[in-house]
């Protein structure tokens, strides 16, 4: 029975744990990394979330990225309600899919053909299969610290250093699958170059987050993306930019617009569904036409191109332009980052911010961080204390040192100022401990 009474997050989490595995439907929500009880949210409005305990938070998680217009944007909400009243799923084509397709293409001109799916994981899994079908090759190159959802071949990482033949990172991934994934350190241009000298013609695809968000925000070193583009072009390898997170977030047109590099395939998710389950992959027509029903690579989905999700995506992308949402959110991010840099100067803590567009991470370390090994040296205990101080003060940030935070166009100067004051107080407190 669903209760409408106010219940504490602790009570709700206790109940959830009796039916949901670990009390959650996605592991990061369980607060394992920072400890404590996850906060159960019941409402979101603009830049704010309201918990079941009736506490209001300034939200920098924004559903892990999608809510660039903030929660319950009136235009998106109206559009979703209007579509729900007409029906939520037909299992047929609808006009909405091509409409969203053309809208996405306006932001991402490298996408000549697109296919909608329901999650980033599905987009990556399908893009990889398409690349393998197109090239008739098995090997995939990925980078340590990049997250691409949970397709088998992507749950593989490597120890530090150059290449390793992949060991599965998760139980349940057959070694026989993992061996087709080759992992390099992010930004290790030379190692990839060397690998391609002898193995380039066997690589189906190179996949990466062109700006990494999933080890916290890490930028590509100058020349990294350019070299990958060149290697892929020279060896007939498909270059896949996983812009599930960076799409519409580091630039309206993603990292490919920011850095002026055209991938062969792009994976999108998060913002394109406006908070509903939609994702997509797309790119060069010749490669995409490998997909059924045109080509031999099979891929399908009962809820793919779902009308409700398409309506939310269309309204979001239209409002992105109408509200100049990206620029506003970026300006607010820049204000937060510059305010933070001013304030952290006075602390002895090794602490710094890395940011790109509307994404930022506060790292408890010094010096610029360019790959996972360096990031692992961050002071996790300090981060966790800081995290709980911030939560207590009403600021909801990503519950792990190794994640990006996000800004919406609804975060006001007052939100930013309050966040900065709370950060300062939190740092003073943990410094005194
Ligand atoms: N790729 C990237 C870059 C992501 O950040 C994520 C999710 N955080 C995914 C893929 C997987 O998306 P989903 O959670 O929708 O499956």
């Amino acid at each position: 029975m669903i209760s409408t009474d106010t219940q504490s997050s602790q009570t709700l989490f206790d109940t959830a744990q009796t039916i949901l595995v670990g009390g959650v439907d996605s592991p990061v929500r369980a607060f394992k990394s920072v400890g404590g009880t996850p906060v159960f949210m019941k409402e979101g409005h603009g830049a704010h979330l309201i918990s079941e305990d009736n506490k209001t938070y300034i939200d920098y998680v924004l559903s892990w990225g999608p809510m660039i217009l903030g929660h319950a944007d009136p235009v998106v909400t109206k559009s979703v309600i209007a579509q729900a009243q007409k029906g939520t799923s037909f299992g047929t084509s609808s006009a909405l899919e091509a409409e969203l397709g053309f809208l996405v293409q306006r932001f991402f001109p490298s996408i000549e053909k697109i296919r909608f799916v329901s999650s980033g994981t599905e987009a990556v899994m399908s893009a990889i299969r398409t690349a393998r079908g197109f090239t008739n090759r098995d090997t995939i190159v990925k980078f340590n610290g990049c997250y691409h959802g949970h397709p088998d071949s992507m749950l593989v990482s490597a120890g530090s250093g150059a290449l390793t033949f992949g060991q599965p990172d998760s139980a349940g991934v057959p070694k026989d699958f993992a061996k087709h994934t080759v992992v390099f350190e992010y930004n290790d241009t030379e190692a990839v170059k060397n690998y391609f000298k002898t193995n380039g013609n066997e690589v189906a695809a190179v996949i990466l987050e062109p700006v990494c968000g999933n080890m916290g925000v890490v930028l590509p070193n100058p020349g990294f993306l350019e070299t990958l583009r060149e290697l892929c072009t020279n060896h007939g390898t498909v270059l896949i930019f996983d812009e599930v997170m960076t799409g519409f977030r580091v630039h309206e047109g993603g990292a490919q617009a920011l850095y002026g590099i055209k991938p062969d395939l792009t994976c999108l998710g998060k913002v394109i569904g406006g908070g509903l389950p939609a994702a997509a992959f797309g790119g060069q027509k010749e490669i995409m036409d490998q997909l059924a029903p045109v080509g031999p690579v099979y891929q399908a989905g009962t809820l793919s191109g779902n009308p409700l999700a398409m309506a939310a995506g269309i309204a979001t992308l239209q409002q992105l332009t109408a509200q100049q949402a990206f620029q506003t959110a970026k300006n607010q991010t820049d204000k937060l980052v510059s305010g933070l840099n001013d304030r952290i100067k006075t602390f002895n803590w090794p602490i710094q911010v890395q940011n790109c567009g509307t994404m930022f991470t506060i790292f408890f370390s010094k010096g610029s961080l360019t790959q996972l090994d360096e990031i692992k040296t961050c002071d996790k205990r300090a981060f966790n204390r800081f995290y709980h101080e911030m939560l207590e003060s009403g600021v909801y940030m990503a519950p792990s040192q190794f994640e990006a935070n996000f800004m919406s166009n609804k975060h006001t100067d007052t939100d930013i100022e309050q966040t900065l004051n709370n950060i300062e107080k939190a740092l003073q407190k943990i410094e005194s401990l």
Side-chain angles (χ1 to χ4, degrees):
M1 206 178 74
I2 298 172
S3 161
T4 51
D5 294 345
T6 300
Q7 297 185 65
S8 73
S9 288
Q10 185 62 59
T11 314
L12 290 164
F13 192 47
D14 290 343
T15 307
Q17 281 173 301
T18 66
I19 178 72
L20 305 173
V21 178
V24 294
D25 281 316
S26 195
V28 282
R29 295 180 197 166
F31 273 35
K32 280 255 167 171
S33 173
V34 289
T37 307
V39 187
F40 278 54
M41 301 298 179
K42 63 176 177 183
E43 282 182 43
H45 301 280
H48 300 143
L49 283 173
I50 304 170
S51 72
E52 292 282 358
D53 321 69
N54 284 328
K55 182 167 172 167
T56 300
Y57 294 85
I58 305 171
D59 181 20
Y60 293 102
V61 180
L62 297 172
S63 186
W64 300 90
M67 317 312 295
I68 195 163
L69 303 175
H71 297 282
D73 176 82
V75 179
V76 178
T77 306
K78 199 170 154 203
S79 169
V80 170
I81 292 171
Q83 183 56 46
Q85 285 167 338
K86 294 185 210 162
T88 56
S89 185
F90 309 130
T92 68
S93 291
S94 76
L96 300 166
E97 293 154 73
E99 189 180 346
L100 183 55
F102 286 123
L103 260 174
V104 171
Q105 191 178 51
R106 211 183 295 159
F107 291 97
F108 288 80
S110 73
I111 298 184
E112 295 167 9
K113 280 283 176 81
I114 193 164
R115 174 149 298 173
F116 289 104
V117 292
S118 301
S119 70
T121 294
E122 238 186 307
V124 168
M125 180 184 77
S126 311
I128 286 173
R129 187 179 305 142
T130 307
R132 283 178 163 150
F134 177 70
T135 55
N136 237 328
R137 303 172 185 173
D138 292 336
T139 306
I140 304 292
V141 166
K142 79 176 280 285
F143 295 90
N144 207 5
C146 286
Y147 176 70
H148 301 292
H150 58 92
D152 281 343
S153 58
M154 293 292 100
L155 287 179
V156 177
S157 75
S160 59
L163 96 139
T164 322
F165 268 110
Q167 289 297 311
D169 233 2
S170 156
V173 177
K175 284 202 175 66
D176 280 350
F177 291 3
K179 76 178 185 200
H180 296 297
T181 306
V182 178
V183 187
F184 293 94
E185 290 304 321
Y186 197 76
N187 277 321
D188 194 348
T189 312
E190 283 310 306
V192 190
K193 252 189 182 166
N194 282 336
Y195 178 75
F196 263 75
K197 268 184 203 149
T198 42
N199 303 284
N201 293 343
E202 290 158 23
V203 181
V206 171
I207 183 166
L208 79 160
E209 292 181 71
V211 170
C212 194
N214 280 294
M215 50 181 157
V217 175
V218 172
L219 301 179
N221 283 345
F224 181 53
L225 299 177
E226 289 80 356
T227 304
L228 296 181
R229 177 63 281 175
E230 200 180 317
L231 290 171
C232 287
T233 304
N234 293 344
H235 292 271
T237 299
V238 178
L239 179 62
I240 306 176
F241 275 8
D242 180 352
E243 301 229 43
V244 167
M245 188 183 282
T246 52
F248 312 97
R249 281 234 162 252
V250 297
H251 182 285
E252 275 188 346
Q256 53 198 269
L258 186 63
Y259 291 99
I261 297 191
K262 189 176 167 188
D264 302 309
L265 293 181
T266 300
C267 300
L268 293 170
K270 299 192 191 269
V271 171
I272 62 162
L276 270 82
F281 64 105
Q284 240 182 64
K285 180 181 179 309
E286 199 191 351
I287 304 174
M288 289 301 288
D289 278 348
Q290 292 296 310
L291 280 174
V294 179
V297 175
Y298 195 69
Q299 192 282 336
T302 301
L303 292 177
S304 290
N306 172 264
L308 213 52
M310 296 295 102
I314 291 165
T316 299
L317 295 200
Q318 283 171 344
Q319 289 308 301
L320 203 66
T321 309
Q323 298 180 18
Q324 295 191 316
F326 172 79
Q327 199 49 50
T328 306
K330 183 181 180 306
N331 292 346
Q332 295 307 78
T333 312
D334 291 346
K335 273 184 210 162
L336 182 72
V337 170
S338 97
L340 236 157
N341 280 330
D342 280 348
R343 292 177 198 223
I344 57 187
K345 271 189 218 143
T346 55
F347 288 92
N348 290 324
W349 282 93
I351 182 172
Q352 57 160 326
V353 197
Q354 293 197 170
N355 63 298
C356 188
T358 65
M359 295 163 44
F360 65 97
T361 301
I362 302 170
F363 284 113
F364 280 76
S365 83
K366 273 261 186 285
S368 106
L369 302 168
T370 62
Q371 49 185 234
L372 190 61
D373 278 355
E374 296 163 1
I375 284 167
K376 280 184 177 161
T377 65
C378 288
D379 186 344
K380 256 191 81 191
R381 276 189 57 209
F383 173 82
N384 289 353
R385 284 190 191 148
F386 169 74
Y387 181 79
H388 282 288
E389 289 299 331
M390 293 306 289
L391 195 63
E392 182 62 34
S393 76
V395 178
Y396 192 70
M397 293 185 146
S400 163
Q401 171 69 106
F402 311 118
E403 296 285 357
N405 293 285
F406 301 95
M407 191 70 76
S408 78
N409 70 337
K410 303 297 190 303
H411 284 80
T412 61
D413 287 351
T414 310
D415 291 322
I416 305 288
E417 200 49 37
Q418 192 179 328
T419 305
L420 288 170
N421 289 339
N422 293 2
I423 288 175
E424 194 165 8
K425 280 188 207 134
L427 290 175
Q428 278 162 356
K429 198 148 175 201
I430 60 170
E431 201 179 35
S432 69
L433 287 176

